[in-house]
Amino acid sequence: MAADSSAREITTVVDLNRGSRLLPAAVGWTRRPLHRTPLPSRGRTKRWEYWGVMTEQLAIGLTIADLDYAHLEQVYVARLDDGREWVADSIGPGPNRPPLPDDLPPFTTSSKRLSFAEEPGGRTRLTVGTDRVRAELVVDPGGESLGVVVPWSPKRFQYTLKDLARRVRGHLTVDQTTHDIDGWTVLDRGRGIWPYRMTWNWGAGSGVVDGTTIGLQVGGQWTDGTGVTENALFVDGVAHYIGDDLHWTYDLGDPHAPWRVSGPRLDVTLTPRHRRVARTNALVIASRTHQAFGQWSGWVEDSSGTRRRVDGLLGWAEEARNRW
């Protein structure tokens, strides 16, 4: 089923919800953060900040989340040459929830081992401190982002912001070995009220192709048929929204199999270098995620109909099944 390719672009500040109900004026997409999200303190609310960092050698994932009745923080590092992984997870009760603001940024989000601080001038500082992983990373200012409101129902809805193709530099120390970081990062910000079960696909890529900075953002399953998508191409910081539901092809049984995403305006493939399989079963929270890290190839049409190559973009593709 194709989504409405003329989904409404929102250009002024708007509230996502009133109490536990979605406001119709909030449904659409944006080029920068414009949604205030005054969610209730309880009632299947989900808030999170995720930063994904890619270099030629490393994949890094940093998460701070408030899942209504529990909070989550996670540090993930993978070495792409040999597949070695370092993971630090923490799930705790709701009263110890991290501060995840519902107003417009800039703001600072922090937990016991992580800090994401948006600084003057548009930079963001990412700080990590665990027993085995320490990092100080600075993310350069970005261009346009993609904000999308997914309207499953008047009482089940999600705001997500994807900010891609931002350069990141700094240092990461794992087990006393220090790595210089010079790569790309993606921000995934979420605020919403969720169904009990959900499955989604997500793919992102960043890099320079033919002298142009390119960001690729694709999604699937959780937005299909809702009238909006989380699909876009970023060209030198300018967002080109793609309003078509996309077709995903992949084989979870084969860690080396490519992930292909196709539609009327794109045909892209991620060739994996490493695959992560993560499972959580903590009574009220259960999840299973297959995430492939590697390089994208193929083409995407921008808003003018010009085909843009995405060959060599660093990034990932995933399928996640969650029960929250």
Side-chain angles (χ1 to χ4, degrees):
M1 178 178 181
D4 180 1
S5 60
S6 60
R8 183 171 66 98
E9 181 180 354
I10 296 170
T11 57
T12 58
V13 174
V14 63
D15 284 342
L16 174 66
N17 59 291
R18 181 174 294 119
S20 61
R21 298 190 68 88
L22 173 66
L23 293 176
V27 179
W29 66 278
T30 66
R31 298 177 182 272
R32 58 190 178 93
L34 291 175
H35 284 81
R36 293 183 297 241
T37 59
L39 296 172
S41 59
R42 290 288 186 269
R44 302 210 54 77
T45 57
K46 318 296 175 192
R47 299 171 172 88
W48 71 80
E49 304 277 312
Y50 169 85
W51 286 90
V53 176
M54 287 286 297
T55 73
E56 295 285 353
Q57 296 81 30
L58 296 169
I60 304 165
L62 309 174
T63 305
I64 302 175
D66 174 5
L67 307 179
D68 193 351
Y69 35 72
H71 71 265
L72 166 72
E73 64 174 11
Q74 183 177 85
V75 176
Y76 173 80
V77 178
R79 204 161 60 189
L80 300 180
D81 55 356
D82 60 8
R84 189 176 179 188
E85 296 180 323
W86 293 262
V87 183
D89 282 326
S90 175
I91 299 177
N96 298 317
R97 60 179 49 185
L100 290 168
D102 287 324
D103 208 342
L104 296 176
F107 49 72
T108 295
T109 300
S110 61
S111 63
K112 184 177 180 181
R113 294 175 287 188
L114 291 169
S115 174
F116 310 151
E118 298 183 359
E119 299 180 340
R123 299 186 310 173
T124 302
R125 187 173 300 272
L126 312 178
T127 305
V128 183
T130 76
D131 292 341
R132 303 180 66 185
V133 180
R134 306 191 70 84
E136 189 79 20
L137 307 175
V138 177
V139 182
D140 286 351
E144 295 180 348
S145 55
L146 176 67
V148 172
V149 171
V150 183
W152 297 304
S153 77
K155 291 191 174 183
R156 294 289 183 266
F157 49 88
Q158 170 66 28
Y159 166 67
T160 181
L161 179 84
K162 300 296 196 295
D163 194 356
L164 281 80
R166 295 178 63 178
R167 295 304 301 261
V168 58
R169 298 173 178 84
H171 304 281
L172 171 82
T173 301
V174 182
D175 288 345
Q176 300 183 355
T177 298
T178 298
H179 304 266
D180 293 329
I181 300 299
D182 186 355
W184 300 93
T185 189
V186 173
L187 167 64
D188 174 22
R189 172 174 293 145
R191 305 288 190 273
I193 301 178
W194 276 60
Y196 180 61
R197 296 179 186 274
M198 182 59 63
T199 300
W200 70 79
N201 293 120
W202 179 30
S206 303
V208 175
V209 182
D210 299 331
T212 300
T213 300
I214 298 290
L216 172 67
Q217 162 62 38
V218 289
Q221 296 199 65
W222 74 310
T223 59
D224 291 354
T226 64
V228 295
T229 72
E230 57 166 357
N231 307 323
L233 176 72
F234 297 83
V235 180
D236 281 338
V238 177
H240 299 256
Y241 179 69
I242 299 171
D244 306 294
D245 289 340
L246 304 177
H247 180 66
W248 287 67
T249 304
Y250 50 91
D251 181 359
L252 297 182
D254 182 355
H256 305 292
W259 293 59
R260 183 183 178 193
V261 186
S262 58
R265 290 177 53 191
L266 63 82
D267 192 341
V268 295
T269 298
L270 180 96
T271 300
R273 292 183 60 197
H274 173 69
R275 190 176 74 171
R276 173 193 184 197
V277 180
R279 293 180 175 87
T280 300
N281 192 349
L283 299 179
V284 295
I285 300 173
S287 66
R288 186 197 70 188
T289 302
H290 293 258
Q291 188 175 24
F293 300 95
Q295 290 192 347
W296 289 94
S297 60
W299 58 269
V300 184
E301 284 187 4
D302 65 20
S303 299
S304 71
T306 300
R307 286 193 176 187
R308 302 277 186 168
R309 294 193 307 111
V310 300
D311 299 346
L313 298 189
L314 299 177
W316 57 83
E318 71 179 33
E319 181 195 270
R321 298 177 181 269
N322 279 260
R323 186 190 77 222
W324 286 342

